Amino acid sequence: MPLLVMKFGGTSVATLDRIRRAAKRVGVEVAKGYDVIVIVSAMSGKTNELVGWVKETSPLFDAREYDAVVSSGEQVTAGLMALTLQEMDVPARSWQGWQVPVQTTSAHSAARIEDIQTENINGKFAEGMRVAVVAGFQGVSPEGRITTLGRGGSDTTAVAFAAAFGAERCDIYTDVDGVYTTDPRISSKARKLDRIAFEEMLELASLGAKVLQTRSVELAMRYKVKLRVLSSFDEQTDTSGTLVCDEEEIMESNVVAGVAYSRDEAKMTLISVADRPGIAAAIFGPLSESGVNVDMIVQNISEDGRTDMTFSLPTDQVARAEKAMEDAKTSGSINYHDLVTDTDVAKVSVVGIGMRSHTGVAAKMFAALNAEGINIKVITTSEIKVSVLIDRKYMELAVQALHDAFELEKVA
Ligand code: ADP
Ligand code: ASP
Ligand code: MG
């Protein structure tokens, strides 16, 4: 039988009523003749609550136990979804990541899927089961411990299952009806895109647009999974939502496809470090070993052989980073006068494949921010994006100003 993967995010399974509504959507596809693999998130807010409990118990927590705790939200919704389907007379069964099994690396809290074994689930399909409900976001390490895939990881579970089982399509049901030019919660002028190129979606996701987890887009691109984002609240047709697809499948597009933001950024500056060969390695080596994801980096002008080094990182990694830098100073591998942390910054980015062939995007971006009196603290660019770090209080204003400046409410 043809197979579909349907993923329901946190708001789509937030209550028993919503689970019933999602199960009805699944029932529609089963009635059309599809076998379905349903991937569920935890009820909305649940994972945040679990993460909060872990951090309150142990600020520099052991990531193995973090995973043991935060994976539990999906266990509940998987079982409830299977029960709901059974009540509707749809033959369904639930699976935890380790039961499938979904084999991952042992990088706890940010594990990567290495393999998904299809035998167990396919065996049940062969016996007449119509829906396999799988807990998203989780897997099992080579050591046999539960792992999680990073926040938003159920999207990645869904795409990985679609690839492993050769599904006809992977539908991501969420609380918005597709991918927009920017977060519709920040700008009322945001426009829904019918299609978006994998590469643009990849950049938007990695720069903070949490509608899809970055890794899920990477996998879809690599394994040619037909990926669609749509609302679990509206009635659906075969062309609803946004299709994430190859660049060649898109007829017209703006130079800038969208604006992304990341609220939870922090900026750290090491004041007066020795400007010598190897200093960057001596700073960023220990940060990486402590699991800190450094993003933007600026080394300032050097004076008398000393310089300031600035970098950005997620706010929740500040404590780890400070400890890594203090330890490196104690051990003598680096020396600095002061470590200054600014946790009130945000990153705003414009993304578009059109930047490869159009110049002036960065200049227009800086002019639009200047017109609002917004100061830029750090800048980075790549072939298809420009990102700036600014004071967090200006973040929403910056997103709106850029959306206006690039006229994203209009189709090219
Ligand atoms: P789920 O729980 O279904 O996984 P998420 O909260 O992870 O849902 O992702 C959906 C949210 O992503 C939307 O509610 C929206 O606020 C946000 N979002 C950010 N950028 C975009 C964008 N460009 N298009 C659509 N949604 C976006
Ligand atoms: N429940 C997890 C989270 O909130 C995974 C997901 O929803 O995709 O991050
Ligand atoms: Mg999500």
Side-chain angles (χ1 to χ4, degrees):
M1 284 206 202
L3 181 88
L4 274 188
V5 170
M6 301 171 75
K7 180 253 169 177
F8 293 94
T11 39
S12 312
V13 293
T15 61
L16 298 186
D17 214 39
R18 294 220 179 136
I19 293 178
R20 246 175 258 126
R21 185 196 274 251
K24 276 195 196 134
R25 276 291 317 148
V26 176
V28 169
E29 302 297 348
V30 170
K32 284 187 203 160
Y34 285 105
D35 279 344
V36 181
I37 297 179
V38 172
I39 309 293
V40 286
S41 289
M43 291 179 173
S44 67
K46 193 63 197 173
T47 310
N48 284 346
E49 181 182 49
L50 296 168
V51 170
W53 288 346
V54 169
K55 288 185 176 166
E56 200 178 320
T57 308
S58 170
L60 291 178
F61 51 81
D62 175 334
R64 285 164 293 196
E65 301 310 336
Y66 167 98
D67 280 351
V69 177
V70 304
S71 60
S72 63
E74 275 74 8
Q75 176 162 354
V76 174
T77 46
L80 289 172
M81 177 63 85
L83 285 171
T84 309
L85 287 159
Q86 289 174 0
E87 286 296 318
M88 291 164 44
D89 292 327
V90 177
R93 182 63 59 211
S94 75
W95 270 269
Q96 301 284 294
W98 63 269
Q99 291 173 305
V100 174
V102 177
Q103 286 162 335
T104 72
T105 59
S106 35
H108 284 276
S109 83
R112 288 165 81 97
I113 296 177
E114 304 233 285
D115 191 35
I116 294 175
Q117 283 170 34
T118 54
E119 294 76 23
N120 285 336
I121 288 178
N122 275 337
K124 287 287 174 196
F125 277 134
E127 287 171 18
M129 176 192 71
R130 300 299 306 281
V131 182
V133 185
V134 178
F137 179 53
Q138 51 167 271
V140 60
S141 73
E143 295 78 26
R145 301 213 61 94
I146 296 174
T147 52
T148 63
L149 310 177
R151 299 305 306 271
S154 298
D155 299 328
T156 300
T157 307
V159 174
F161 270 78
F165 285 80
E168 195 173 297
R169 205 173 60 232
C170 180
D171 285 343
I172 306 284
Y173 285 89
T174 183
D175 55 1
V176 285
D177 61 350
V179 178
Y180 280 70
T181 47
T182 193
D183 188 344
R185 290 178 210 292
I186 298 264
S187 169
S188 56
K189 292 186 193 163
R191 176 171 54 88
K192 185 177 87 76
L193 299 163
D194 290 334
R195 291 173 178 232
I196 184 162
F198 281 122
E199 280 186 78
E200 288 173 333
M201 192 62 241
L202 194 60
E203 283 286 358
L204 285 173
S206 75
L207 295 168
K210 66 172 184 161
V211 61
L212 285 174
Q213 198 196 33
T214 310
R215 182 86 183 119
S216 72
V217 186
E218 261 169 33
L219 286 181
M221 197 163 153
R222 163 132 43 105
Y223 294 103
K224 305 215 170 301
V225 172
K226 199 165 170 195
L227 180 61
R228 198 163 67 133
V229 177
L230 64 178
S231 159
S232 60
F233 300 103
D234 305 341
E235 288 304 312
Q236 301 299 342
T237 68
D238 281 349
T239 54
S240 303
T242 301
L243 188 69
V244 189
C245 59
D246 282 326
E247 203 179 323
E248 294 74 35
E249 294 174 60
I250 301 176
M251 301 304 280
E252 49 195 342
S253 60
N254 292 351
V255 175
V256 168
V259 182
Y261 65 86
S262 165
R263 193 188 301 271
D264 299 316
E265 301 283 321
K267 178 166 79 81
M268 289 182 108
T269 303
L270 292 171
I271 311 269
S272 187
V273 286
D275 190 9
R276 57 166 172 85
I279 188 65
I283 294 171
F284 296 109
L287 286 171
S288 145
E289 278 155 30
S290 311
V292 176
N293 299 312
V294 171
D295 177 22
M296 305 162 129
I297 300 176
V298 183
Q299 183 178 341
N300 297 344
I301 292 174
S302 151
E303 236 177 275
D304 302 328
R306 302 196 76 84
T307 185
D308 297 344
M309 189 78 86
T310 299
F311 55 90
S312 72
L313 69 166
T315 29
D316 63 357
Q317 295 178 0
V318 163
R320 272 170 207 271
E322 283 175 345
K323 181 163 189 315
M325 292 297 88
E326 279 153 20
D327 289 351
K329 189 174 183 182
T330 310
S331 77
S333 60
I334 57 172
N335 193 352
Y336 53 84
H337 282 325
D338 207 358
L339 177 60
V340 181
T341 307
D342 180 354
T343 51
D344 286 322
V345 291
K347 182 170 63 178
V348 175
S349 313
V350 297
V351 171
I353 287 174
M355 284 184 212
R356 286 190 194 130
S357 49
H358 284 73
T359 54
V361 171
K364 193 170 186 174
M365 179 180 192
F366 304 153
L369 295 173
N370 178 38
E372 298 294 343
I374 301 172
N375 187 33
I376 301 172
K377 297 176 174 238
V378 184
I379 302 169
T380 51
T381 64
S382 81
E383 203 189 17
I384 66 164
K385 67 122 202 242
V386 185
S387 299
V388 296
L389 208 62
I390 59 172
D391 278 331
R392 189 174 302 138
K393 62 180 182 224
Y394 297 126
M395 189 193 79
E396 303 198 355
L397 177 61
V399 169
Q400 288 155 2
L402 294 172
H403 200 274
D404 285 346
F406 290 100
E407 301 185 72
L408 300 188
E409 72 283 4
K410 293 188 206 153
V411 186

